[in-house]
Structures are given as C-alpha cells and as structure tokens.
C-alpha cells in the first residue's frame, strides 16, 4: 500500500480526528495499579479554569507549556499524570445564573436557595463544559478519566473534613471584623479580590465644633457620607496643636451627637489637618482604633450600600446620593470649609467592578499564621523551588506579612459551611451572639446538644479558593490514604501565572504542608516535610500581550480568541508560536505574523514527508525497500562509520546535539530555546541541507540501488527521530506523518507513547560537524557571490578554489554536493592563493572565486570589500577587548575562550586577504 499524504497540509482535516482518537483510545490514562515500583513519576495539576469560562490566550499559553512538558516527560519513560478539572467559581457562576434569571424576570430570592442551586447545576450541565471541549479540541494530553469538578461529592466531603479539622485545631474562628463588602455581589471578598484603581476625587475639610463652644477642629475626609457613623475624632498625642483638646467633646455636624477627641498614633499630623474622623464600622484602621479605645461600632449602611436607620434623615439614600446631600447640608450650615482635588485609590470588586465598601460584618476566618509558617519553611528549605527565582522573594514577602483569611461568602452557590446554630435565642449556640460557639460537624446534626432545640445551618459558603487550595491532595483521594497519594503526591510541578500566586499557589502550599504532614508514608513512617509540599517546583509563566506589548482587554478591543487563531493557522502553529516566544520572565508579544511563519514551518515538514514517502514508494516499486526493514533511530548507538558519507554522519551528529540541547532547555523551562533548536534543525539542517544533499543518492534504477536504499534508510531513520523530537511541540502533524510512515505497523498507538530522543553533546567522533561547516560556508559563499553578480539561478558557473590543510580533499570528495547546491559547472583548484581575484570569498580553510565573464564594476567591488573590511575590523576590536579582559578570561568557560581565540585568528587572516584584494584594485580603471 503506497504512502499517501494530501498534497496540501490542512490542519482542520487532521487535528479534530487525532484529538478525538487520543481521548477515545484513553492514551493518557494512568492506572495506579499498573505503575511499576521505582519508575519515575511526573504529576501535574491543571489550574482549574472557571466552569463559566472559555479559553483565552493566557489559558492556551499555560496549556501549551504544560502539555509540552507532560508529553516530554511521558516520552522519557516516566509515569506521567496530568489531572484536569474545572472550578465551580462561586461568585462568577452565581452572577451569570442570576443574570439569566433576570432576563426571565426572576430573582434568586423568588426561587429560594434550594431551587436556585438546582438551577445552577442545570446551567452547569448545559453550558459549563465548553472550556473542557475546547481543551479536548486543542489536544491537551490529560487523563480525562480523572476529570474533577470542585463541587463533586468526593471533593465536597474532603472540603468539609478540612474545615472541621481546622475548627477542631482552633485555626478557624467566627468574628466581627471589617471586611471588603461588594454591594453588587452582596458578599464579603478577600483583599486579593479587590482591584485598586486611581481616580480623581476630592479631599473635604469639615469643621467639627467643640461642645463647650470654645472653638472647633477641622477634619479631612474623602468619604463625607461616612461621618454619619463617626464616634470620635483622633489626633496624634504628639501634635502640639491638639494636645490640650484631648478628652474634650465635639458635636457631630448634621447628627447633633457628642463624640470624644481621642489620642492615637494612627493620626498623621502631616496628612490633611492632622485630625481624623473615626468610623469604626466602615474603615479598617478606624476599626482597630475603636477596639483600642473601646468605642461603639455604629453601622450606617446596609448590604446594598444604602444608608440605614442609623443615618437619621439620610436613611434610604444610596451612598453616593447621601454624599451629595451631606455635602450640601454641611455647606448650608457652615461646616464645609474646603474641597481640594485629590487622587483616590478606589478598591473595586475584581468580578463586577463595583466600588467595595469596608463594612463591619460577622464572618468566618482562618487563623493563617501557623499554616503560613510551614509554607514559608518549605520554600526556605528548598522543598519548593521557583522559576523565575525572583518569585520566591515575592512569595516570602507576602507570606510573612499575611493577614487572617476571610473564608466566608454570602452566596448560595458553593461549599456551604458545615456549621449549625441553635434556634433558641437564649442558648449559647444562638447565631444572634457573635461569640456563640456553633456546632461544626462532619455529619449533619439534628438538635442542639445543649438545650435540645432545633438547629439552623450557616447560610454562608466558603471562598472558592478554599476548595481549590486542597486540590493537589483531594484529587488523589484524600482524606483516605490511597495508593494514588502514595504514587503521585507531591505533584512534580505547578505551572501558573503570577495573578494567582497568592490566590491559589500560596494557599495550596499552606494547606498541603499542614494536612499532608499528618498522613504517613506508604511504609507507615512519618511523612517528612519535604514530602508534605503540594508540588516540588513552581514555574511562573509570563503574560501574553498583543503585538504592541499592550495587555489584552475587551475595552481595548485587542483580545485574541485562541480558537479562532487555531482555526486560521492550525493548533500546532499557534502552540509553536507560544513556545518559541516563551522565555522565562519575559512577557509574550503575540504576533500573528510569527504564527503565519510557523504555519509555513508546518508546510515545510509536510512537504518533506511527502518527498520521503514518494521515495519510499519508488524504492518499493524498484524492489529495494520493504516496510518491515525500517528500524527507528536508536538513541544510544549509530550504524554509521567513518567511511559513511559525510552528510549522513553530519546530520546524525547535529541531531544528537540538538536532542541533547532540547532536553537541557526543557529541563530549565527554556521553552523558547527548545522550540528554536528544533526549528533550526528541522528547517535548516534537515530540510535545507540534508534532504537536498541526499537527493543525489536516491536513484533506485541505477546499478548503485543498494547505496540508494542505504541513503533512504538513513533519511527515514533521521526523519522519524526528528518527528519524535518535534512531537511535544507540534503533536498533531507529527502524529499524522508518523502513522503514515509506519502505515498499519506502528510500534505504539501514538507517537506520544514512543521514546523521546535523549541525544548526546559529544556525538561527533569524526568531526563531521566541523567538516560539513566548511562545505556549508563554501556553498553559501558561492551563492552570495553569484547573487552579487546577479547570475540567474539556473545558470551554472565555474569556480576557482585554493584550499589548504587537507581541505582540498574534503572539497573534492564532496564535489557533486557543491556542484548541485551552489550551481557550479566546473571546479578548478589553484596551487597558490587567489585572494587578489575580484570577489574572492576567503576563510582560514579556503579561498573561492566565481569565474564569470561579465565585466567587474571595480568601484562597486571596492565598496563591497571596504564594507566587509569595516565589519571585520569592528568584530576584531570586540574580540581584542574581550581577550584582553582578565576578569572575563578568568570567569569564562575554557571552550568559550578557546573559540574566541580561534575566531580572532580567523579574522586576522581575513583582514589580511581583504587588504591584499583592495591593493590589487587600487588604481585600476576597470
């Protein structure tokens, strides 16, 4: 059966087919019971995208890097597990379903909690899997049998167990504190979920009169509406202006309420008037002052940021409408002194962009420092390593300045807090008492253990990130001691973006170090701290920006849909673009022109495969080729000898070095280097040089058909190994060609399950790379000279060569190659230097001149030589500077220094020859 590939490469025709094949065949499924003892494992957890979402370019970048590494480790023979899943995304999902209900004229309160949650589950079943479908279409090589959803029953049980244990350990508590309140989402949100934006505002100066009529104090505020809740005015105890007023009473304007003047270090004499209003229920700093001075906590806003009954005449007004009314009344009554322009840092809800309101609220918190200490120690001891390393410093700074984590959210969708309150108002477990001790339990209780009254469950749910923080161990079966945990925990690597470093990574570190420390190893021995960490390495990837390096955003209109881009260029081309630009710590400026270039790269690979298959079929027709004769290129041995053709030895040596360097680059997350190494080898070495060279030997009808078969066999072996080298980067096209190459007798179900080439840095025992470089330089020099002379590509020309040090023998033995690739019709060797001939191309090894009868333009030739001389003199100066730098010579590797010295000698010789050539032209009128 002949090898067939369509004439034109069409990714849309092959990619969906292979994506479906990989999933259907369960190629990436890992059965724990089949894991061989002692075999290396590589485990990675996919950062769970929101169930509401669609893939964006950041996702595709993250998935590309992850998939490259996963495929690479799998092909290296490691037991490789990549766990996929989605997050229930509490606020985002609830907002989306509420919006859907609103279009039907329904509010969630109309349905009630139980029916609303059912509606969310219905929505999730209908629409929530879109992002997973996109991941499957892009070929993510995850184990789909382990797909999770953070609200799955097994994960819900694990979340509950964690909550109860932390409660029992005194690490969860309920208390009244200032939180970030979103009046749109109607829930508390963490500091990390608040986005600060600078905005022009006002700083208002307001006069507060002393009760005794002896004067007044001026305070400065940016939120005058909150003065309705003032319970004091604070001044710095060292501020001479106010020292005698401390302890006196002020009359609060508009509310006619007496409030004290207190002394507190928090009052900054340099800001505003030096006197600050104290509103403990609506400002975190004021709350701390209120606690220190035992002040009342007067709440003046409801959950929708409208003034409540404590706001007197302003009750019922929205906060901003209240601000207008308060300012108008202050001005009318003579209390507003000034209003100055002032830049504000407004905190907004990350999800809905509503300005958050600091509010006093009863919430649930994790006492975080004991957990943070373990996670700090894990990084300081090297159990968790960061790339780029600067993120270690950022992580440690945040962890050492951490605040208790507010984990409760006033939502209906999410993991409901497993706490119950007694319905008896007089019971110590009643919800009305902020200091009450609720019942926290693994199983639902039925009555109050103290008084026997019925119970009501806590209405709050947990922060989405609480359940996400547990995923490295809960997805592997915790709280049970499973074989999955023994085999795959800790996970090997976390690839994520900086934006969730604190949301997710830090919290996983804290939870993993705390809970997995309690679980013994498989042999029953205590688990060391090094094995409690959720991941051993962290790679923080950069951002994907637009071609002008602007951040992508819907408002700028520069957002790229990765699915649209992949449909236009093919998934492989987009993946390769992202990989080729993925330098650690450097943002990607995504440019479709680059993607178009890598689409051309895919075409190049496709056409090379078609050339190969055409020759396999020709060889089979000639009776010199059988499919069973083909053996893949072995990673450890070479069938080549010194007598083998130079180009064969060269391509094999180049392949081995490239494979070695690709492995080294991927090990250090230098995706850009790995991708570019593969690109240069496949396009440059293999297609542009080796395939062109081997064409000379593929005549199956000649008496040397056996030699032609050997040439084809080596080409097939190199090409197949090159496909494996490329496979993690471009899995679709390599799968298609690899299957076509083997036809029905593939050694594995997928190229992804074959062996990745390991390579060898020293694989060139016959100096074939250096020898081939001489020929490549010679051919390139002839081509360049022909271009300067504007010789037609089809017109062959003679050349004259002066070669030394055995180079003539090298050139003569590869005469046919040079003649074919440089359009040479006759090769004449000179016994002496030809440096004075016009347009000579010279190196340390040879001099070559294209013999062409067209009259030489002496002035143009002189200009060309001078330009070349100028470049070489500049290079010479740089080399001299480096080689005279003793500090550089002391630190640089020996092979680098040796290379510079060698190049310096070459440049000296080239300059000498250029000067001779210029002297020859001097005074000529040609």
């Amino acid at each position: 059966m002949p090898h067939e590939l369509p004439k034109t490469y069409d990714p849309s025709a092959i990619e969906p087919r292979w994506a479906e094949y990989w999933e259907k065949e369960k190629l990436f499924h890992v059965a724990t019971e089949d894991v061989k003892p002692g075999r290396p494992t590589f485990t990675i957890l996919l950062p769970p995208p929101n169930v509401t979402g669609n893939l964006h370019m950041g996702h595709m970048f993250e998935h590309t890097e992850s998939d490259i590494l996963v495929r690479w480790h799998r092909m290296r023979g490691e037991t490789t597990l990549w766990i996929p899943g989605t997050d229930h995304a509490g606020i985002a999902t609830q907002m989306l379903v509420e919006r859907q209900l609103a279009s039907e004229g329904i509010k969630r309160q109309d349905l009630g909690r139980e029916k609303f949650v059912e509606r969310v589950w219905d929505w999730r079943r209908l629409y929530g899997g879109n992002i997973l479908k996109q991941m499957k279409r892009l070929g993510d090589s995850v184990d789909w049998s382990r797909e999770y959803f953070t609200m799955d029953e097994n994960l819900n049980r694990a979340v509950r167990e964690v909550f109860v244990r932390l409660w029992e350990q005194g690490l969860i508590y309920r208390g009244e504190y200032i939180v970030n309140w979103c009046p749109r989402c109607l829930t508390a949100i963490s500091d990390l979920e608040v986005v600060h934006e600078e905005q022009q505002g006002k700083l208002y100066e307001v006069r507060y009169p002393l009760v005794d009529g002896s004067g007044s104090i001026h305070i400065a505020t940016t939120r005058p509406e909150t003065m309705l809740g003032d319970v004091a005015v604070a001044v710095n105890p060292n501020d001479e202006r106010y020292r005698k007023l401390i302890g006196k009473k002020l009359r609060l304007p508009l509310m006619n309420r007496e409030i004290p003047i207190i002394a507190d270090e928090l009052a900054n004499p340099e800001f505003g008037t030096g006197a600050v209003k104290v509103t403990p229920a609506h400002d975190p700093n004021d709350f701390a002052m209120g606690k220190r001075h035992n002040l009342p906590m007067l709440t003046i806003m409801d959950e929708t940021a409208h003034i409540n009954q404590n706001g007197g005449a302003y009750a019922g007004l929205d906060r901003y409408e209240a601000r207008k009314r308060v300012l108008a009344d202050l001005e009318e009554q003579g209390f507003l002194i000034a209003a100055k322009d002032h830049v504000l840092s407004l905190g907004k809800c990350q999800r809905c962009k509503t300005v958050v309101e600091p509010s006093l609220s009863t919430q649930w918190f994790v006492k975080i420092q004991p957990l943070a200490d373990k996670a700090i120690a894990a990084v300081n001891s090297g159990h968790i390593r960061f790339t780029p390393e600067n993120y270690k410093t950022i992580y440690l700074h945040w962890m050492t300045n951490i605040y208790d984590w507010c984990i409760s959210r006033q939502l209906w969708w999410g993991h409901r807090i497993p706490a119950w309150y007694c319905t008896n108002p007089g019971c110590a477990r009643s919800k009305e008492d902020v200091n009450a001790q609720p019942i926290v339990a693994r199983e639902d209780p039925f009555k109050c253990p103290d008084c026997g009254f019925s119970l009501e469950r806590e209405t709050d749910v947990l922060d989405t990130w609480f359940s996400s923080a547990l995923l490295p161990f809960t997805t592997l079966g915790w709280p049970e001691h499973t074989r999955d945990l023994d085999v795959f925990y800790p996970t090997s690597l976390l690839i994520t973006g900086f934006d969730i470093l604190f949301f997710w990574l830090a919290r996983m570190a804290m939870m993993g170090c705390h809970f997995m420390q309690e679980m013994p190893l498989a042999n029953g021995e205590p688990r060391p701290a090094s094995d409690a960490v959720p991941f051993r390495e962290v790679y923080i990837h950069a951002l994907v920006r637009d071609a002008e390096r602007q951040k992508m955003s819907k408002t700028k209109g520069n957002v790229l849909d990765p699915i649209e881009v992949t449909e236009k260029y093919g998934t492989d081309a987009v993946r390769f673009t992202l990989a080729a630009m993925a330098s650690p710590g450097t943002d990607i400026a995504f440019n479709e022109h680059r993607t178009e270039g890598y689409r051309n790269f895919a075409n190049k690979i496709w056409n090379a495969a078609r050339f190969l298959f055409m020759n396999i079929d020709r060889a089979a027709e000639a009776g010199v080729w059988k499919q069973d004769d083909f053996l893949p290129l072995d990673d450890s041995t070479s069938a080549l000898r010194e007598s083998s053709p130079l180009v064969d030895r060269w391509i094999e040596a180049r392949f081995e070095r490239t494979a070695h360097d690709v492995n080294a680059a991927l090990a250090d997350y230098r995706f850009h280097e790995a991708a570019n190494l593969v690109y240069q080898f496949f396009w440059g070495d293999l297609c542009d040089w080796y395939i062109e060279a081997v064409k000379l030997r593929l005549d199956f009808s000649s008496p040397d058909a056996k030699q032609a078969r050997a040439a084809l066999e080596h080409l097939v072996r190199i090409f197949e190994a090159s496909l494996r080298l490329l496979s993690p980067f471009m899995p679709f096209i390599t799968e298609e060609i690899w299957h076509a190459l083997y036809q029905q007798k593939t050694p594995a179900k997928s190229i992804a399950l074959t062996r990745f080439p390991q390579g060898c840095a020293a694989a060139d025992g016959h100096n074939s790379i250096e020898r081939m470089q001489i020929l490549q330089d010679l051919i390139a020099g002839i081509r360049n000279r022909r271009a300067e002379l504007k010789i037609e590509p089809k017109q062959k020309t003679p050349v004259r060569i002066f070669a030394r040090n055995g180079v003539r023998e090298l050139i003569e033995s590869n005469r046919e190659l040079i003649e074919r690739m440089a359009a040479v019709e006759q090769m004449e060797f000179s016994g002496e230097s030809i440096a004075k001939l016009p347009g000579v191309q010279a190196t340390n090894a040879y001099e070559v001149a294209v013999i062409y009868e067209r009259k030489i333009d002496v002035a143009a030739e002189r200009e060309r030589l001078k330009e070349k001389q100028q470049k070489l003199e500049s290079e010479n100066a740089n080399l001299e500077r480096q080689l005279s730098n003793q500090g550089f010579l002391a630190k640089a590797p020996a092979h680098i220094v040796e290379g510079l010295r060698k190049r310096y000698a070459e440049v000296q010789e080239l300059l000498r020859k250029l000067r001779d050539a210029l002297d020859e032209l001097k005074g000529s009128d040609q």
Side-chain angles (χ1 to χ4, degrees), residues 265-319:
E265 295 282 352
L266 197 65
N268 180 4
E270 305 298 324
F271 179 76
T273 64
V276 295
K277 55 193 286 302
V278 182
T279 320
H282 294 280
D283 183 273
N285 292 325
D286 292 5
F287 175 79
M289 267 197 285
K291 286 287 188 183
R292 284 196 292 273
H293 297 275
N294 199 27
L295 298 171
M297 305 282 172
L298 187 64
T299 301
I300 59 150
M301 288 188 203
D302 65 14
E303 62 182 9
T304 63
H306 285 71
I307 306 300
N308 65 15
Q309 71 278 3
N310 294 328
Y314 305 94
L317 295 177
D318 170 77
R319 53 183 166 170

Side-chain angles (χ1 to χ4, degrees), residues 48 77 92 101 249 682 704:
L101 287 173
K249 297 279 187 178
F682 218 116
D704 292 329

Side-chain angles (χ1 to χ4, degrees), residues 4-22:
E4 287 185 5
L5 284 179
K7 185 175 182 180
T8 305
Y9 168 58
D10 179 7
S12 66
I14 68 170
E15 291 180 355
R17 174 161 45 85
W18 287 118
E20 183 181 349
Y21 171 81
W22 294 332

Side-chain angles (χ1 to χ4, degrees), residues 829-889:
F829 285 91
S830 172
E832 57 186 21
S833 173
I834 57 172
K836 294 182 180 181
L837 288 179
V840 71
Q841 306 287 317
T843 70
N844 263 358
Y846 63 81
E847 298 163 6
V848 60
V850 174
I851 308 302
Y852 188 56
E853 294 183 358
R854 188 173 64 84
K855 193 173 183 181
I856 299 296
D857 184 334
V858 174
E861 178 67 9
R862 186 182 295 114
E863 190 61 34
R864 185 189 72 82
L865 292 175
K866 283 184 176 179
E867 186 178 335
K868 194 169 183 179
Q869 183 182 34
Q870 190 175 7
K871 288 180 181 178
L872 283 170
E873 284 174 346
S874 176
E875 183 182 358
N876 189 65
N878 287 334
L879 288 165
E880 285 181 343
R881 186 164 54 252
Q882 283 182 288
L883 292 172
S884 64
N885 185 334
Q886 295 304 313
F888 168 78
L889 295 176

Side-chain angles (χ1 to χ4, degrees), residues 42 64-78 80 141 493 575 659-669 671 674 724-725 727-729 752 754-758:
F42 180 78
T64 294
E65 291 186 326
S66 299
D67 196 46
I68 287 171
L69 289 179
V70 166
R71 288 174 180 273
W72 175 59
H73 279 278
R74 187 183 290 117
M75 292 179 73
R76 283 163 60 89
E78 299 169 34
T80 304
S141 62
L493 170 69
R575 282 172 61 110
H660 173 273
D661 292 347
V662 168
N663 278 285
L666 289 177
D668 290 337
Y669 312 113
F671 296 94
R724 287 186 278 124
L725 188 69
S727 179
F729 304 89
T754 60
R755 187 76 174 170
F756 192 81
Q758 296 305 294

